[in-house]
Amino acid sequence: MLRLTEIKLPLDHPPEAIAKAAIARLKITPQELVSCTVFRRAHDARKKNAIVLIYSLDVEVKDEASLLKRFAKDPQVKPTPDIEYRYVAKAPANLTTRPIVIGAGPCGLFAALLLAQMGFKPLILDRGKVVRERTKDTWKLWRKSVLDPESNVQYGEGGAGTFSDGKLYSQIKDPRHLGRKVLTEFVKAEAPEEILTEAHPHIGTFRLVKMVENMRATIESLGGEYRFQSKVIDLDLDDKRQVRGVVLEGGEHIAADHVVLAIGHSSRDTFEMLEKRDVYIEAKPFSIGFRIEHPQSLIDVARFGPSAGNPILGAADYKLVHHASNGRDVYSFCMCPGGTVVAATSDIGCVATNGMSQYSRAERNANAGIVVGITPEDYPGGPLAGIAFQRKWEKAAFVAGGETYAAPAQLVGDFIAGKVSTSLGDVVPSYKPGVTPTDLSKCLPDYAIAAIREALPAMARQIKGYDMADAVLTGVETRTSSPIRIKRDDTFQSLNTKGLFPAGEGAGYAGGILSAGVDGIKIAEAVAQSILANN
C-alpha cells in the first residue's frame, strides 16, 4: 500500500476524480490501480475564489516495488505507515488488585477503556452523575439558573468535553498514532466514520452523549465497574508515600495500589486535598478572557468568499493571534462555528463561560474565546494561587451579571470605545440563562482589558467585520486549561507519590478531547506495566 499526499482537487470535483488523480500522480494505467481510499481530507481556502480540497490517499497497485523505486526521492509517495494500535500488556490470570480511575472525562474514559481491553478490570469513580442525568442538571442552570455543584458542565460522565464543539484534532506530537486509536474507538461507539478522514473532525454534544454511554457499556462488558456520585476526598498513603487506596466522601475506603488521577481542570477541592497531602503540584500558565459572538454568515464569507455555505466546507472557523503592545498575547480559543456560549461554572456565586456546538453547527452565531495568556507571575502565592485568581474574576462576573448566573456582556463597539453597554444590537447573544449589558472592564485585570481592546481591531484585518460594533463579548472565560500541573516522572507517576498517575487536562498534560484521550492511553499503558512489574 502506498500513501500519496498533497493531492489537490477543486471543491466541486466528482467522486471519480480522486482515483483519476492517483493514477495521474503515479503515472500508471487504470488497470494497474487495485484500490484507492481517502486517508485524510483538508481544504485550502487561502484563495477564496479557488478553494481546493487536499487529500492523502492510500492506494494499492499491482507493482508496488517498482513504483517505490521510481518515486524513491518523492516525499509525497511513500509506503503507507503502520498505524495499528498494539497493546503493551495483558493482565495476568492471578491479578489480585484492580486499578482505580478517578474521573470519567475523555482522559479517564480512555484510561479505563485501555485497562479494560488489557484485562485489568478498572474501577471508575466519578463525583458526578451518568451523562444523561448530568445533562438534565446542566440544563437546569441554563434554563432556570439552578446550579448543582456536583453535576454540571465540569463534573460528571463525559467531562467538560461533552458540552463543547467536540473537536477531535490536536497539535500534540503523536509518533505512535495514538490519536488514531482514539478516533477508531469513537467510531466503534457510533461516531460518524468521517472523523477518520477529516483533517479537523468534530462531533458535537448530542452525539458525544450517546458515544460516552456506548463506551461505558464496552468497559463494563470487559469487567470494568463504574461508580457515579462517588467523590474522592482523600488518598491513603503509607509511610513511603505509596498509594494504598482512596477515601470517598461518605467515609468508604477502597484499597488500590494504582490510582489514575483524571479529574479535569476544574476539580478545585481535589487540588486542595492533593496539596494538603503534599503531592507535588506547581502553578502553570493559562489564559483568561471573554467569549465573542458574530453572525456565522460573517465568518463564512470572510473565510470562504463565494463558496460560503458550501456543504463540503460547512460552517467556517478561524484561529487568530495578536501580540499586544503591552507584551500580552491575545488569541482565539475553542472556536465553535454555528454554536452557542454556555454557562460553565461549577462554583456557587461564580460565572464562567465556554463554547458548544452540535454536530450540524447550524446555530446563527459563531463564538470563540478571546483570551490573554497569563503566567504564575500574574498570580503569585503558591501552587494553588491560580485557582484563587480564577475565582476572583468569576465572582466579579457573577456580580456584574446581576447575581443570578446571567453573564455580563458588552457590545464590541462599546468595549473598544470604553463605553458601558446599556442594550444589545443585531447579534443576539446565545448564553443561557441570559446576559446583562454592562461594562466588562470590571471583570478582568486592566492588562487583559487593554490587550483585548487592541487585539479586536487588529484581528479585523484578518477577518473583515471582526470588530463590528454589534458583535457581543460575554464574560468571563477562565477555564481554558488547568491552573496547575501535577508533575510526573518518566513512569507517569507523581514525582513524590508512587502509585498515583496524574493524567489529562487537570494534571496539566492535555488540552482538548483528543489529547486527553491520548494521555489516557499512555497512562493506562504505564499503569499496566507497573502492575505487571509488581505483581
Side-chain angles (χ1 to χ4, degrees):
M1 191 81 74
L2 300 178
R3 172 72 51 80
L4 311 186
T5 57
E6 295 296 314
I7 300 296
K8 298 181 180 181
L9 292 170
L11 188 59
D12 58 352
H13 72 78
E16 60 271 18
I18 297 175
K20 289 181 178 179
I23 290 168
R25 181 70 182 82
L26 294 173
K27 300 178 181 177
I28 59 177
T29 66
Q31 292 74 27
E32 293 176 275
L33 181 68
V34 177
S35 68
C36 177
T37 58
V38 175
F39 176 74
R40 184 66 46 84
R41 185 183 75 174
H43 66 259
D44 183 348
R46 286 175 294 179
K47 296 180 180 179
K48 297 181 179 62
N49 291 317
I51 296 175
V52 297
L53 299 177
I54 306 174
Y55 289 93
S56 293
L57 305 176
D58 284 339
V59 300
E60 184 179 357
V61 295
K62 290 183 177 179
D63 190 355
E64 181 178 311
S66 65
L67 281 176
L68 282 174
K69 186 176 181 180
R70 191 196 314 170
F71 290 96
K73 296 183 180 181
D74 190 334
Q76 296 173 7
V77 181
K78 295 293 181 182
T80 298
D82 181 4
I83 59 174
E84 180 181 356
Y85 180 77
R86 294 173 177 82
Y87 298 100
V88 301
K90 183 178 180 180
N94 62 342
L95 186 66
T96 57
T97 184
R98 68 193 308 192
I100 288 176
V101 177
I102 305 175
C107 182
L109 181 63
F110 274 91
L113 178 66
L114 267 290
L115 285 168
Q117 290 174 337
M118 290 186 285
F120 290 93
K121 301 179 180 180
L123 172 63
I124 303 96
L125 304 174
D126 195 280
R127 67 192 294 171
K129 299 180 182 179
V130 295
V131 67
R132 291 196 185 267
E133 289 300 314
R134 173 196 179 202
T135 300
K136 293 177 183 177
D137 293 335
T138 301
W139 279 96
K140 285 181 184 178
L141 172 61
W142 296 351
R143 291 174 171 170
K144 299 180 180 180
S145 298
V146 177
L147 172 65
D148 183 338
E150 296 297 333
S151 183
N152 46 61
V153 165
Q154 306 298 342
Y155 301 151
E157 185 179 22
T162 304
F163 300 98
S164 71
D165 185 48
K167 295 178 180 66
L168 296 178
Y169 50 92
S170 173
Q171 295 180 333
I172 61 171
K173 294 180 180 178
D174 188 18
R176 294 178 55 208
H177 307 285
L178 298 181
R180 189 72 175 183
K181 169 68 170 172
V182 172
L183 297 179
T184 300
E185 293 295 342
F186 277 153
V187 170
K188 291 179 183 177
E190 298 187 27
E193 289 194 17
E194 68 193 44
I195 68 171
L196 295 173
T197 55
E198 289 299 313
H200 292 89
H202 76 284
I203 299 176
T205 291
F206 289 164
R207 292 195 176 215
L208 277 165
V209 167
K210 182 61 176 175
M211 289 161 50
V212 166
E213 290 178 324
N214 289 341
M215 294 180 74
R216 185 208 320 155
T218 297
I219 292 168
E220 290 174 334
S221 73
L222 295 170
E225 178 187 350
Y226 277 81
R227 290 181 59 178
F228 293 99
Q229 296 179 273
S230 298
K231 182 178 177 180
V232 174
I233 62 166
D234 203 1
L235 297 176
D236 177 14
L237 306 177
D238 66 18
D239 56 6
K240 295 182 180 179
R241 295 197 61 80
Q242 165 67 48
V243 169
R244 296 303 180 191
V246 300
V247 180
L248 303 186
E249 191 169 36
E252 180 182 1
H253 177 277
I254 303 175
D257 296 331
H258 296 80
V259 175
V260 175
L261 199 63
I263 53 178
H265 61 42
S266 292
S267 296
R268 294 166 169 175
D269 48 4
T270 307
F271 296 155
E272 291 165 0
M273 177 272 287
L274 295 171
E275 185 187 40
K276 289 177 183 177
R277 278 296 189 178
D278 294 323
V279 175
Y280 184 85
I281 298 173
E282 63 184 23
K284 63 174 274 296
F286 60 101
S287 299
I288 55 173
F290 305 123
R291 279 270 145 187
I292 189 168
E293 288 189 89
H294 298 89
Q296 181 62 47
S297 57
L298 181 147
I299 306 300
D300 290 344
V301 170
R303 301 295 285 174
F304 297 147
S307 296
N310 186 295
I312 294 176
L313 297 173
D317 61 8
Y318 58 79
K319 187 174 183 179
L320 302 172
V321 179
H322 175 70
H323 304 290
S325 57
N326 66 0
R328 301 284 173 169
D329 287 338
V330 185
Y331 63 97
S332 60
F333 170 79
C334 186
M335 194 273 159
C336 296
T340 56
V341 179
V342 299
T345 188
S346 53
D347 285 16
I348 292 174
C350 291
V351 164
T353 65
N354 194 13
M356 184 180 87
S357 296
Q358 299 301 344
Y359 176 71
S360 63
R361 289 178 166 175
E363 298 296 330
R364 180 185 305 174
N365 291 351
N367 78 81
I370 293 296
V371 297
V372 179
I374 58 174
T375 71
E377 294 179 356
D378 295 309
Y379 48 90
L384 302 186
I387 295 173
F389 185 86
Q390 289 174 321
R391 280 192 174 126
K392 173 183 177 179
W393 299 110
E394 291 172 9
K395 288 178 179 179
F398 182 75
V399 172
E403 301 186 3
T404 63
Y405 294 105
Q410 191 171 12
L411 297 178
V412 165
D414 289 342
F415 177 78
I416 293 173
K419 295 168 50 180
V420 177
S421 287
T422 57
S423 62
L424 300 171
D426 289 339
V427 179
V428 178
S430 58
Y431 177 94
K432 302 296 182 185
V435 303
T436 301
T438 186
D439 178 6
L440 285 176
S441 67
K442 303 174 183 177
C443 299
L444 286 181
D446 290 345
Y447 58 77
I449 296 296
I452 296 172
R453 277 193 177 132
E454 179 184 316
L456 294 174
M459 290 173 172
R461 292 195 287 271
Q462 299 178 62
I463 295 181
K464 185 177 181 180
Y466 199 78
D467 59 349
M468 65 179 289
D470 280 0
V472 177
L473 290 167
T474 305
V476 289
E477 175 102 8
T478 51
R479 314 267 184 115
T480 53
S481 67
S482 180
I484 68 160
R485 178 170 286 110
I486 310 170
K487 292 201 74 172
R488 60 196 190 193
D489 61 20
D490 57 4
T491 69
F492 291 85
Q493 297 178 70
S494 163
L495 284 183
N496 69 345
T497 308
K498 295 304 176 185
L500 184 67
F501 293 78
E505 286 206 43
Y509 289 98
I513 295 172
L514 187 68
S515 62
V518 167
D519 202 56
I521 293 173
K522 293 177 180 178
I523 287 290
E525 294 175 341
V527 169
Q529 290 168 330
S530 178
I531 291 174
L532 291 180
N534 295 305
N535 195 58

